[in-house]
Amino acid sequence: MKKRNIIVALSLVLGASTLSGAAFATVTEKSAKTAPADARMMTLHAMMPMLSVASAGLKTALEKGETASVEKEAEKILAAIPALKKSRPHKNVKQRKIYLKLAAKLEETVTSTVGLAKKGDFAGAKTAFQKVEATCVACHVKFRD
Ligand code: HEC
C-alpha cells in the first residue's frame, strides 16, 4: 500500500514536471519566434513616419538649395538604415535578400543625393533624389500590405 502511494506520488511529480517542461518549451519557442518578429515589425512602424518626414524635408531642402538641411535630413535617413535592415515586413517575409538590397539602395541613393548637393550640383541631387523616392516605392510595392 505504502509503495503504491510512493509510485503515485512519483508519477505525479514526473507528470507535473513534464507538463511544466512542455509549457516552458512553448513559452520559449514563442518568445524566440514571435516576440522578436513583432519587435522587428514595431521597429518598422515606428521608423517609417520618421523616414517620411525626413524625405519630405530632404526634398524641400533640395528645392531651396539648402545644403546644411539636405545633410541634416539625409543623416536622419542614413541613421535609420541599420534598423531598417534588421526590421521585418509583413508581406513576402521570405524574400529577405531583396528587402536588404532595397534597404542598401536607399542608403546608396541618399548618400549620392547628399554628395551631389554638397558639391553644389542641385540639379544632379534632385535627379538622385528621384531614385530615393523610387526606392521607397519599390520596397512598399513588394513588402507593404
Ligand atoms: C527596405 C524596404 C523599405 C524601404 C526602402 C522603405 N520602406 Fe517604408 N515601409 C516598408 C514596409 C515593409 C512598410 C509597412 C510597415 C508595416 O506594415 O509594418 C512601410 C511603411 C511605410 C509608411 C507607412 C507607415 C507604417 O507604419 O505603415 C510610410 C509613411 C513609409 N513606409 C515611408 C517610407 C519612405 C518615405 C521611404 C523612403 C525614404 C521608405 N518608406 C522606404 C518598407 C520600406
Side-chain angles (χ1 to χ4, degrees):
M1 193 64 185
K2 238 185 172 179
K3 245 187 191 170
R4 225 163 115 191
N5 277 348
I6 290 169
I7 290 167
V8 167
L10 250 180
S11 48
L12 273 176
V13 168
L14 280 177
S17 63
T18 314
L19 260 182
S20 63
F24 180 73
T26 313
V27 169
T28 44
E29 201 179 325
K30 206 173 169 188
S31 42
K33 286 188 183 154
T34 321
D38 284 350
R40 276 148 71 198
M41 246 175 232
M42 286 314 293
T43 312
L44 202 51
H45 278 297
M47 191 167 34
M48 286 300 158
M50 184 286 287
L51 279 187
S52 192
V53 173
S55 76
L58 182 51
K59 190 173 192 163
T60 308
L62 286 170
E63 275 156 14
K64 291 187 179 167
E66 295 174 350
T67 313
S69 304
V70 169
E71 283 183 73
K72 198 177 109 206
E73 300 302 332
E75 250 336 291
K76 290 184 199 162
I77 300 175
L78 293 175
I81 302 288
L84 182 61
K85 284 182 177 168
K86 280 190 206 136
S87 72
R88 181 190 151 105
H90 295 278
K91 217 171 74 176
N92 293 323
V93 179
K94 296 226 165 104
Q95 301 185 35
R96 183 122 202 108
K97 263 192 185 166
I98 301 176
Y99 192 73
L100 292 176
K101 234 186 205 168
L102 286 163
K105 183 138 191 208
L106 184 64
E107 185 171 21
E108 263 170 53
T109 52
V110 170
T111 304
S112 70
T113 302
V114 74
L116 289 162
K118 276 165 87 175
K119 278 191 224 155
D121 180 3
F122 279 90
K126 280 181 200 165
T127 310
F129 181 72
Q130 284 170 5
K131 289 183 190 154
V132 173
E133 289 183 312
T135 310
C136 308
V137 172
C139 198
H140 294 158
V141 166
K142 194 150 192 77
F143 295 101
R144 186 168 152 185
D145 293 324

